[in-house]
Amino acid sequence: MSEPGAAGPSPAAIQVSRIMRPDDANIAGNVHGGTILKMIEEAGAIISTRHCNSQAGEPCVAALARVERTDFLSPVCIGEVANVSAEITYTSRHSVEVQVNVMSENILTGAKKVTNKATLWYVPLSLKNVNKVVEVPPIQYARKEQEDEGKKRYEEQKLDRLETKQRNGDVILPVINPEPHTVGYSQSSLIHLVGPSDCTLLGFVHGGVTMKLMDEVAGIVAARHCKTNIVTASVDAINFHEKIKKGCVITVSGRMTFTSNKSMEIEVFVDADPFVDEPRERYRAVSAFFTYVSLSKEGKPLPVPQLLTETEDEKRRFEEGKGRYLQTKAKRQAQMQQQAAQQ
């Protein structure tokens, strides 16, 4: 796999590999989706930071701004090697698009399978001034169509990030004695103090660390609702609205918004409380929707209990989630028909 020709000595592509350990997995032996997301982000950060420093200019570190929808095509198990490959596919003046593929490898049999495909967007921040976005060295494209398609993706994600930020005023409040299968029954929160090991050279949280925490909370919500083994099926676009600084206390909150017969959608957002250096009001830093499925002990899909909505807001969110579910289902069916026609 090669980059479409960088205008400088930046790497063509990189690969990060790691064997999956027991502490990476759930009780059924399937690797947590958050672990894979963290590896994906690490690979993206490496290649985008290298590229942004490939020409003479201000030293910088690439910060994660957005992750497009990511499907978990196949589970990764303990003992397998996760091979994460990353490639730069588009650059604008101030951002980098990175395509990442994850392939699991059974090192005993040599069997390999694609488990994830993801698109990430990074913004280079100056090491001297963290509020300054530096310019990205351009890449050269094999065909003009590649640049045009990349520009279209750039404009679409930019618009979606703006719309998501505008509707991010919700908060999750505790519910007293909730009934099973209601939103309040499964909603969950996790509080984490951001330390040095969570942060980049600039002192801000790695995007992969945040995504791992978000997946943990979403997994708790799904497990509480189903009372079964659950796995991450997909993650809708993850938008990083603001940086989270070392010393912040972050609250990662999750609630169920929609269920179909075999899947459940969980909204997760991250709020940050800065206490060190510059106290300010709590703010919404990250938001996303996770989709989980329920599995039997044999790994077979199980029916998901219907979510019981009680308030008007819960009913509205359920209908919005249903719309996203049907839209994704229609896209998947169209892709399958297109692939069948090409064979």
Side-chain angles (χ1 to χ4, degrees), residues 221-238:
V221 174
R224 280 180 169 171
H225 183 78
C226 291
K227 307 292 187 184
T228 63
N229 177 36
I230 47 85
V231 293
T232 313
S234 66
V235 184
D236 212 345
I238 304 177

Side-chain angles (χ1 to χ4, degrees), residues 68-82:
E68 301 289 0
R69 178 182 172 84
T70 304
D71 290 304
F72 290 74
L73 308 175
S74 179
V76 183
C77 299
I78 295 172
E80 292 185 332
V81 173

